[in-house]
Amino acid sequence: MNVYIHPDPNEYEKLIQRPALNTTDVSGIVSEIFDRVRREGDTAINKYTSHFDHVELKSFVVSPSEIETAAKLISKKLITAIQVAKKNIEKFHRSQKEKTKAIETTKGVYCWRESRPVQKIGIYIPGGTAPLFSTVLMLCIPARLAGCKEIIICTPPDPTGNIHPAILYCAGILGIETIYKVGGIQAIAAMTLGTNTIPKVDKIFGPGNQYVTAAKQAAQQKGVAIDMPAGPSEVLIIADQSADPEFVAADLLSQAEHGTDSQVILLSDDPEIVDRIIREVEKQLVFLPRKETVQQAFIHSRAIVLKSIKDCVEFSNMYAPEHLILATKNPKKLIPLIHHAGSVFLGRYSCESAGDYASGTNHTLPTNGYARNYSGVSLDSFVKKITFQNLTKKGIVNIGPSVETMAEAEQLMAHKNAVTIRIKKIKSQK
Amino acid sequence: MNVYIHPDPNEYEKLIQRPALNTTDVSGIVSEIFDRVRREGDTAINKYTSHFDHVELKSFVVSPSEIETAAKLISKKLITAIQVAKKNIEKFHRSQKEKTKAIETTKGVYCWRESRPVQKIGIYIPGGTAPLFSTVLMLCIPARLAGCKEIIICTPPDPTGNIHPAILYCAGILGIETIYKVGGIQAIAAMTLGTNTIPKVDKIFGPGNQYVTAAKQAAQQKGVAIDMPAGPSEVLIIADQSADPEFVAADLLSQAEHGTDSQVILLSDDPEIVDRIIREVEKQLVFLPRKETVQQAFIHSRAIVLKSIKDCVEFSNMYAPEHLILATKNPKKLIPLIHHAGSVFLGRYSCESAGDYASGTNHTLPTNGYARNYSGVSLDSFVKKITFQNLTKKGIVNIGPSVETMAEAEQLMAHKNAVTIRIKKIKSQK
């Protein structure tokens, strides 16, 4: 961890830089795979699965019996844990439902909004070493609450052609029956273009590596919405001298274990607590199975001491972290000062892993500074809001003349006429 | 207008097609201009303005005196109309503010969301024949209500180097002082990359031609958010025999005058009313200054008679119109059946132009079928929602074991440890 004591504000710009992303241009392979999936459909999917996932599948459709069996393949303890998480995620996301309220903007002019679900949702769950079943919960629960009609999951098969039972179990308890053993660019291409087996969707959600990210961008260019742009995970912790070094160290480590490109940033007004936290990091690190990953992530991580906690919050706003932990004496006082962050964790008992799994908030959050202009996933991500308006006779008579004047000034005479013709008729009826 | 009586459902797919967009590949010119603006900044802006807008400007920054003078250059009547629209738009968008409500998902676990403004907003207002000052209201009012810190407008100068005073007036009354006489791809490039004069923004809003649309897509690839993908404007009207043919005809015409690529669709269960509406269209058309535009738009427009009004709504959902007018006897009954639309107008006095200008709803809406997966612009478009969580000792003890179990199952041991270490300390304190 690189330590900076009272750096010059001119250096801030450098200090908020993310680790350089792997900038290999993957657009060639993305358009090649999209092209082939468009032309050959399922045949292309099978070819790419064999090529990239090194497995020949009889069918890439997960069978009902595979989903049924899943519950028997995971521990009772894990089932209970998942149920706790599910309950909390449901409770928090259900609270995001909006009530319809009509506003009478002018006498006789009623306007309101109503939510409608996005109908076809495609969810991508990455493969790799860890089975990200928690992401199944985080994406499928709000999709279900929103009332989305068709929810499909694509996730790459392991070398034996299977999907981790925890992923299937989470999908199963949420009533998701359409799961495909397809990963990578070809999964995103299939959900964007449709094949004989995999339906075209309206919106694609889910994390992934740089290939999946590039494929999602290509999907967006083709009219499919996506959850948000993606980048490596990150945490920024603001700790004052009241912080518990053990807790802060554990939080820094838990972010760093996500990947070598994860970034952890520690801010404080107190060099001593920084020192104690760093020593504690070294102590805890020894016991971690992902030690090498963590150590590599720490190469581009920073501990920065600034003049005050307020300065730390300002710096954090410049960085716009995905996760922001306030390990300070009175974290609630800092809330109004926070302008950009994905999710904020207040005080010593609100660790990031609580939000990653089970507190109820969503863990799909804007990274890479996107917290400046994007929200994390919520119920809102699965609905559109339609505006409605209802004008009475009185309503059109009241605002009609303004509409006529503005339409004329914009040289849109038919727009004006649509009002004129109505007002004329209303007056002739009197 | 092409009329289809009870078409075969197999034909629906064809009938919901939009007019083929001009598919010239503009990506070459977009990346050329972005490149040059990145390298040469303001110099490039000046060159492109001279080249595309045929005008040499001393400065492309609108001066305070230009904004001040604007009010004197437009009529009192227009000023009053704008004030009516402003009041209604403010009222409706202010009602979209959300109250913060903390949810206790489990005893001791508190989660909530708070909105924060996107800080830097770039608004594009197209040039051309009509001065779209109404779009200034539609985009700047919610930006102001959201509390966005920096709002800038880019709009191309006319051949004399000026901006229409109605545009400047609307910006002025909303306290927007930073307006640039810059249009086209170069405006979007400047707001994406920043120049010495024009600041880089977080999110770009506003309509435009295919060049501006492609430039906004390029901006999105570079990390700047955009309002939504764009396409030609469109209306779908469902009329039953209770409809007033004069009103419906006027609404069809007002949509068609937007451009030759606009699309108007009329659905009904009654061939006779369709007939009467078409005759009325021909009658009103004669008096319109934009007759040629309207006639061309009508070439790819359709009147379709289906078995029932319910069938019409189903067809409308397939089409996912930007504007949906329900010119039926009991339009409110149809609301629950509507799944996809940008904005819905209920009954005979709710004409589209009311919503285009002054009822209070936003007129920046999803076109081209994007109503399936995007909402129109609202206050939400100018804020991000940050999640917060606060766990008490009791809270972490309650959900901690679930977090530990799930983290372990995902092989993220440092995530587990962040909980274990806290629970251990809590128990040791007892």
Side-chain angles (χ1 to χ4, degrees):
Chain A
M1 212 170 190
N2 307 295
V3 182
Y4 304 82
I5 312 282
H6 301 307
D8 189 291
N10 289 325
E11 276 187 77
Y12 287 3
E13 199 54 53
K14 221 181 62 202
L15 290 173
I16 60 166
Q17 291 304 313
R18 265 70 179 178
L21 284 177
N22 191 335
T23 50
T24 330
D25 184 13
V26 299
S27 61
I29 176 90
V30 168
S31 62
E32 189 190 315
I33 294 179
F34 267 70
D35 234 48
R36 197 147 175 179
V37 169
R38 189 178 45 74
R39 281 186 286 115
E40 300 175 17
D42 291 337
T43 311
I45 299 296
N46 283 322
K47 269 185 211 160
Y48 287 122
T49 300
S50 151
H51 182 76
F52 290 116
D53 302 307
H54 313 291
V55 60
E56 305 287 336
L57 299 172
K58 263 197 206 141
S59 161
F60 58 72
V61 182
V62 171
S63 69
S65 77
E66 281 176 280
I67 299 177
E68 241 171 76
T69 318
K72 292 172 205 148
L73 299 174
I74 59 174
S75 70
K76 280 252 165 65
K77 204 173 143 194
L78 182 54
I79 288 178
T80 310
I82 287 172
Q83 295 291 356
V84 168
K86 177 172 175 280
K87 182 187 75 60
N88 287 347
I89 299 166
E90 276 173 352
K91 196 163 177 184
F92 184 55
H93 287 76
R94 188 177 291 121
S95 79
Q96 293 161 10
K97 280 204 185 180
E98 249 179 54
K99 276 202 194 110
T100 300
K101 48 176 175 187
I103 302 294
E104 192 174 10
T105 54
T106 287
K107 267 261 172 276
V109 180
Y110 302 89
C111 304
W112 69 97
R113 297 195 298 170
E114 294 190 22
S115 292
R116 292 291 186 277
V118 178
Q119 236 156 19
K120 297 175 190 170
I121 301 293
I123 288 172
Y124 185 80
I125 303 294
T129 47
L132 295 185
F133 59 86
S134 60
T135 304
V136 177
L137 299 178
M138 292 293 175
L139 296 176
C140 295
I141 289 173
R144 273 275 170 252
L145 287 173
C148 304
K149 268 210 181 132
E150 207 176 320
I151 305 169
I152 66 170
I153 295 176
C154 281
T155 185
D158 69 17
T160 66
N162 290 309
I163 307 293
H164 193 284
I167 290 178
L168 297 180
Y169 173 75
C170 288
I173 56 172
L174 293 163
I176 317 283
E177 290 158 355
T178 318
I179 306 169
Y180 303 105
K181 299 174 182 175
V182 182
I185 300 170
Q186 61 272 23
I188 307 300
M191 295 193 282
T192 303
L193 306 164
T195 71
N196 278 340
T197 306
I198 302 174
K200 178 178 168 12
V201 302
D202 298 319
K203 192 164 184 178
I204 297 175
F205 291 79
N209 58 20
Q210 57 163 333
Y211 295 97
V212 170
T213 300
K216 280 171 69 183
Q217 285 190 328
Q220 195 176 33
Q221 302 283 349
K222 290 175 198 303
V224 175
I226 65 169
D227 46 1
M228 73 189 82
S233 194
E234 62 206 19
V235 73
L236 187 150
I237 304 183
I238 297 178
D240 65 13
Q241 57 173 6
S242 79
D244 184 315
E246 278 186 69
F247 295 177
V248 176
D251 292 341
L252 291 169
L253 287 164
S254 74
Q255 184 56 49
E257 80 174 335
H258 270 299
T260 55
D261 53 4
S262 289
Q263 191 172 44
V264 306
I265 299 213
L266 171 64
L267 301 181
S268 181
D269 59 350
D270 178 17
E272 208 203 294
I273 194 89
V274 168
D275 214 58
R276 288 171 61 198
I277 291 165
I278 292 177
R279 265 181 288 139
E280 189 59 38
V281 163
E282 278 152 20
K283 231 163 88 186
Q284 292 182 25
L285 176 63
V286 186
F287 303 101
L288 291 178
R290 295 196 179 204
K291 205 168 6 190
E292 283 72 33
T293 305
V294 172
Q295 274 165 333
Q296 275 205 274
F298 266 97
I299 290 172
H300 39 73
S301 291
R302 299 166 189 138
I304 305 168
V305 178
L306 299 172
K307 295 246 163 65
S308 69
I309 291 298
K310 231 175 124 182
D311 284 356
C312 294
V313 177
E314 260 175 52
F315 185 99
S316 170
N317 284 328
M318 288 180 68
Y319 183 78
E322 179 191 12
H323 304 98
L324 169 59
I325 300 179
L326 300 177
T328 59
K329 206 173 171 194
N330 196 344
K332 283 196 177 167
K333 260 172 82 176
L334 302 176
I335 292 177
L337 306 176
I338 297 165
H339 299 310
H340 312 296
S343 197
V344 183
F345 300 78
L346 303 173
R348 60 172 57 212
Y349 299 113
S350 306
C351 54
E352 191 201 308
S353 24
D356 285 344
Y357 290 108
S359 65
T361 58
N362 209 290
H363 77 195
T364 308
L365 296 165
T367 54
N368 207 25
Y370 287 117
R372 266 186 288 273
N373 40 14
Y374 289 90
S375 309
V377 163
S378 71
L379 194 67
D380 303 342
S381 315
F382 297 89
V383 300
K384 308 102 47 177
K385 286 178 186 167
I386 303 179
T387 49
F388 287 82
Q389 61 201 280
N390 186 20
L391 278 74
T392 62
K393 267 189 211 179
K394 198 172 193 163
I396 190 72
V397 168
N398 279 339
I399 67 165
S402 297
V403 175
E404 288 176 287
T405 305
M406 291 173 77
E408 188 169 355
E410 287 194 353
Q411 296 163 37
L412 295 170
M413 297 309 286
H415 280 67
K416 180 186 180 184
N417 193 47
V419 174
T420 311
I421 212 164
R422 284 173 164 91
I423 293 186
K424 221 165 115 184
K425 195 161 276 184
I426 290 170
K427 294 205 164 148
S428 76
Q429 289 164 347
K430 276 182 184 167
Chain B
M1 212 171 189
N2 308 295
V3 182
Y4 305 82
I5 311 283
H6 302 308
D8 190 292
N10 289 326
E11 275 188 76
Y12 287 3
E13 199 55 52
K14 222 181 61 203
L15 290 173
I16 61 164
Q17 291 305 311
R18 265 72 179 177
L21 284 177
N22 190 335
T23 49
T24 329
D25 184 11
V26 299
S27 60
I29 176 89
V30 168
S31 62
E32 190 191 315
I33 294 180
F34 267 71
D35 233 47
R36 197 143 173 184
V37 169
R38 189 177 46 71
R39 281 186 286 115
E40 299 173 18
D42 291 336
T43 310
I45 300 296
N46 283 321
K47 269 185 211 158
Y48 288 121
T49 300
S50 152
H51 182 75
F52 290 116
D53 302 307
H54 312 293
V55 60
E56 304 287 336
L57 298 173
K58 264 197 206 141
S59 162
F60 58 71
V61 182
V62 171
S63 70
S65 76
E66 281 177 279
I67 299 177
E68 244 171 71
T69 319
K72 293 171 204 150
L73 299 174
I74 59 174
S75 70
K76 280 253 165 67
K77 204 173 144 193
L78 182 55
I79 287 178
T80 309
I82 287 172
Q83 295 291 356
V84 168
K86 176 172 175 279
K87 183 188 73 67
N88 287 347
I89 299 166
E90 276 173 352
K91 197 163 176 183
F92 185 54
H93 287 77
R94 188 175 292 123
S95 80
Q96 293 162 8
K97 280 204 185 181
E98 248 180 53
K99 277 209 193 103
T100 299
K101 49 178 176 185
I103 301 295
E104 190 173 9
T105 54
T106 286
K107 266 263 172 273
V109 179
Y110 301 88
C111 304
W112 68 98
R113 295 195 298 169
E114 294 189 22
S115 293
R116 292 289 186 278
V118 177
Q119 238 156 18
K120 298 175 192 171
I121 301 293
I123 288 171
Y124 185 79
I125 303 294
T129 48
L132 295 185
F133 59 86
S134 60
T135 303
V136 176
L137 299 178
M138 293 292 176
L139 296 176
C140 295
I141 289 173
R144 274 275 171 250
L145 286 172
C148 303
K149 269 211 181 131
E150 207 175 319
I151 306 169
I152 66 171
I153 295 176
C154 282
T155 186
D158 69 16
T160 66
N162 291 309
I163 307 294
H164 193 285
I167 289 179
L168 297 180
Y169 174 75
C170 288
I173 57 172
L174 292 164
I176 317 284
E177 290 158 355
T178 316
I179 307 168
Y180 303 105
K181 298 174 182 178
V182 182
I185 300 171
Q186 62 272 23
I188 307 299
M191 294 193 282
T192 304
L193 306 164
T195 71
N196 279 339
T197 306
I198 302 174
K200 178 179 169 13
V201 302
D202 298 320
K203 192 164 184 177
I204 297 175
F205 291 79
N209 58 19
Q210 56 162 332
Y211 294 97
V212 170
T213 300
K216 280 171 69 183
Q217 284 190 329
Q220 195 175 35
Q221 302 284 347
K222 290 176 198 304
V224 175
I226 64 169
D227 46 1
M228 73 188 79
S233 194
E234 61 205 20
V235 72
L236 187 149
I237 304 183
I238 298 178
D240 65 13
Q241 57 173 8
S242 79
D244 184 315
E246 279 186 69
F247 296 177
V248 175
D251 293 341
L252 291 170
L253 288 165
S254 75
Q255 184 57 47
E257 79 174 336
H258 271 299
T260 55
D261 53 3
S262 289
Q263 191 170 44
V264 306
I265 300 215
L266 171 64
L267 301 181
S268 182
D269 59 347
D270 178 17
E272 207 203 295
I273 193 87
V274 167
D275 215 53
R276 288 171 59 199
I277 291 166
I278 291 176
R279 266 182 288 137
E280 189 58 42
V281 162
E282 278 153 20
K283 232 164 83 188
Q284 293 181 24
L285 176 63
V286 187
F287 302 101
L288 290 179
R290 297 197 178 206
K291 205 168 6 190
E292 284 73 34
T293 305
V294 172
Q295 275 167 332
Q296 276 205 273
F298 266 96
I299 291 171
H300 39 72
S301 290
R302 298 163 190 141
I304 305 167
V305 178
L306 299 171
K307 295 247 164 65
S308 68
I309 291 298
K310 229 174 124 180
D311 284 357
C312 293
V313 177
E314 260 175 53
F315 185 98
S316 170
N317 284 328
M318 286 178 70
Y319 182 78
E322 179 192 12
H323 304 99
L324 169 59
I325 300 180
L326 300 177
T328 59
K329 204 173 171 195
N330 196 345
K332 284 198 176 165
K333 259 172 84 175
L334 302 176
I335 293 177
L337 307 177
I338 297 165
H339 299 310
H340 312 297
S343 198
V344 184
F345 300 77
L346 303 172
R348 60 171 59 211
Y349 299 113
S350 307
C351 54
E352 191 202 309
S353 24
D356 284 343
Y357 290 108
S359 66
T361 59
N362 209 289
H363 76 196
T364 308
L365 296 166
T367 53
N368 205 25
Y370 287 117
R372 267 186 287 273
N373 39 16
Y374 289 90
S375 309
V377 163
S378 71
L379 194 67
D380 304 342
S381 314
F382 297 89
V383 300
K384 309 101 50 179
K385 287 178 186 166
I386 303 178
T387 49
F388 287 83
Q389 60 201 280
N390 186 19
L391 278 75
T392 63
K393 266 186 209 180
K394 199 170 192 166
I396 190 72
V397 168
N398 279 337
I399 67 166
S402 297
V403 175
E404 288 177 287
T405 305
M406 290 172 78
E408 187 169 356
E410 286 194 354
Q411 296 163 37
L412 295 170
M413 296 311 284
H415 280 65
K416 179 183 179 186
N417 194 48
V419 174
T420 312
I421 214 165
R422 283 171 164 90
I423 293 187
K424 223 165 114 183
K425 194 161 279 186
I426 291 169
K427 294 205 165 148
S428 78
Q429 288 162 345
K430 274 179 186 167

